[in-house]
Amino acid sequence: MTKKNEGPARAPTIMDVAEAAAVSKSTVSLVLQGSTLIRDETAQRVRAEAQRLGYVYNRRAAELRRKSSNTIGVVINDLMNPFFAEVLVGIERCLVDAGHVVFMAHTHDNFERQQRVLQSMREHNAAGIVLCPAIGTPKTLPKEIQQWGIPLVIMVRSLGSGTYDFVGSQNAKGLATATRHLIERGHRRIAFLGGQSGVVYEERLEGYRQALTQARIAFDERLVVPESPTRAGGHAAMAALLERRTGATAAVCYNDISALGALAALGERGLRAGTDFALMGFDNVLDAAHSNPPLSTMDIHPGELGEQAAALLMKRMANPHLKRQTYLAEPELRLRQSG
């Protein structure tokens, strides 16, 4: 006798999981949403039964029913810079531990691309956004995003005064500290390499100038070499500085990635940082401790910066009426062989 074709097996439902785990449907839903309201023992039993049955939680459908989302948008301007990669790790670690899904986008410092990304996040009902603005971002953008009803944290690059939450570092203070360190080591001809425009660049350049003024050292424009804040930019800036024959014996760099490029330019000319020329970075990315020679820098703890951005965003999501939140990392001097 031929067995009748019974068709494909029925997919397990949330009710199947609830029955197998001997709990209610609402308990299963809370566990799969990552709620902390359910006891660990119960939550573990529910997850085990869901896995055994092959049940897949449809988070998107649940979000549509609740008219909410647990997706957080993170918009980074330059993932080629390891600083931002480390910041992103800190953001993701904090948000994922809290049960959120992170949707990351890279703008490559292109404002038009940034606008498309932000609009896409709005269309996908993002629960919040962390943004490191692209060059050229108008000061009105935070207010525009707030009008969408989406909590926002601006990170690293300030957009001036406003009501938005901000996470960054004390840029002027950090560069002043780095410059003073070189002055205390006897250097008088100190260059500023890398960076080109924007609030962060102006703040760090101002810190450099402040330290020179306090030491009664005249500011010399020939010692300031703007370049893209990249490894190639740092290489080009150092090469240009050496060609100018300014008598420079040391340099502070806009960031670590610029300093790593400057290190390479020195090496190509038979010069060694720390012996023939003193060099300081800014950020303290992981690569800084393992360059040749190891790079002295200002440490703003990139991973912790990301965690702070995530923490401020979650506070804003929980209470939209909070006063403006800010976190400014205080740079710490990390002395290694280069400076």
Side-chain angles (χ1 to χ4, degrees):
M1 182 176 178
T2 303
K3 186 176 182 179
K4 184 179 179 181
N5 184 359
E6 297 177 353
R10 179 178 66 86
T13 68
I14 195 170
M15 291 302 299
D16 295 328
V17 178
E19 183 180 351
V23 297
S24 68
K25 175 183 173 182
S26 60
T27 297
V28 175
S29 181
L30 285 170
V31 169
L32 298 180
Q33 288 173 37
S35 172
T36 58
L37 298 175
I38 307 302
R39 291 187 306 172
D40 287 344
E41 180 183 349
T42 302
Q44 291 174 10
R45 187 169 74 251
V46 168
R47 294 191 190 99
E49 291 299 335
Q51 183 176 11
R52 182 182 67 81
L53 293 171
Y55 174 73
V56 178
Y57 181 55
N58 190 332
R59 192 175 300 276
R60 178 60 178 160
E63 289 171 356
L64 290 172
R65 289 192 295 272
R66 296 194 309 268
K67 296 184 179 180
S68 65
S69 167
N70 74 333
T71 300
I72 304 296
V74 180
V75 185
I76 302 293
N77 64 297
D78 183 15
L79 269 182
M80 298 298 290
N81 185 339
F83 167 77
F84 288 106
E86 292 178 32
V87 169
L88 179 60
V89 168
I91 293 173
E92 190 172 39
R93 178 168 55 237
C94 192
L95 291 175
V96 170
D97 286 350
H100 295 286
V101 175
V102 178
F103 172 27
M104 191 281 297
H106 174 214
T107 67
H108 199 62
D109 251 337
N110 182 291
F111 175 66
E112 287 73 21
R113 183 173 182 178
Q114 175 180 284
Q115 288 300 90
R116 293 195 298 270
V117 165
L118 290 173
Q119 189 59 44
S120 177
M121 290 179 174
R122 181 187 185 187
E123 293 169 358
H124 283 83
N125 196 29
I129 294 174
V130 178
L131 169 67
C132 183
I135 292 174
T137 297
K139 295 180 179 180
T140 56
L141 182 65
K143 187 174 182 180
E144 178 183 349
I145 295 176
Q146 289 166 350
Q147 289 174 344
W148 297 349
I150 300 178
L152 171 72
V153 170
I154 297 293
M155 180 178 65
V156 179
R157 290 177 173 172
S158 169
L159 291 175
S161 60
T163 60
Y164 62 89
D165 298 331
F166 178 71
V167 171
S169 65
Q170 298 180 40
N171 293 306
K173 183 176 182 179
L175 247 295
T177 299
T179 306
R180 279 196 298 269
H181 164 71
L182 294 174
I183 293 171
E184 290 167 1
R185 289 198 56 193
H187 296 283
R188 307 289 291 180
R189 301 290 289 168
I190 303 169
F192 180 86
L193 305 180
Q196 289 178 306
S197 62
V199 173
V200 175
Y201 174 76
E202 295 300 331
E203 289 176 348
R204 294 183 184 181
L205 180 60
E206 179 59 26
Y208 163 75
R209 297 185 70 150
Q210 286 174 6
L212 295 179
T213 299
Q214 290 168 0
R216 298 183 180 180
I217 298 174
F219 174 77
D220 185 346
E221 289 187 358
R222 295 180 304 154
L223 292 172
V224 177
V225 190
E227 260 294 350
S228 63
T230 63
R231 193 180 295 260
H235 185 281
M238 177 59 79
L241 176 69
L242 295 176
E243 288 173 4
R244 292 179 186 181
R245 301 185 183 279
T246 60
T249 61
V252 288
C253 295
Y254 172 78
N255 58 9
D256 283 347
I257 196 74
S258 296
L260 295 175
L263 277 176
L266 286 172
E268 289 171 3
R269 289 158 179 77
L271 302 173
R272 182 171 177 81
T275 303
D276 305 304
F277 192 99
L279 196 66
M280 298 287 298
F282 195 108
D283 288 340
N284 195 31
V285 299
L286 294 175
D287 287 348
H290 306 290
S291 59
N292 184 21
L295 179 68
S296 293
T297 186
M298 298 305 301
D299 187 0
I300 60 173
H301 305 282
E304 291 182 20
L305 207 65
E307 291 176 354
Q308 289 292 335
L312 261 60
L313 181 64
M314 289 191 290
K315 288 180 183 178
R316 176 63 59 192
M317 291 163 59
N319 185 357
H321 304 295
L322 284 174
K323 292 182 179 179
R324 188 189 189 208
Q325 306 175 98
T326 59
Y327 172 83
L328 295 178
E330 183 168 352
E332 300 176 8
L333 191 61
R334 291 282 180 264
L335 293 180
R336 302 187 180 106
Q337 294 178 23
S338 76

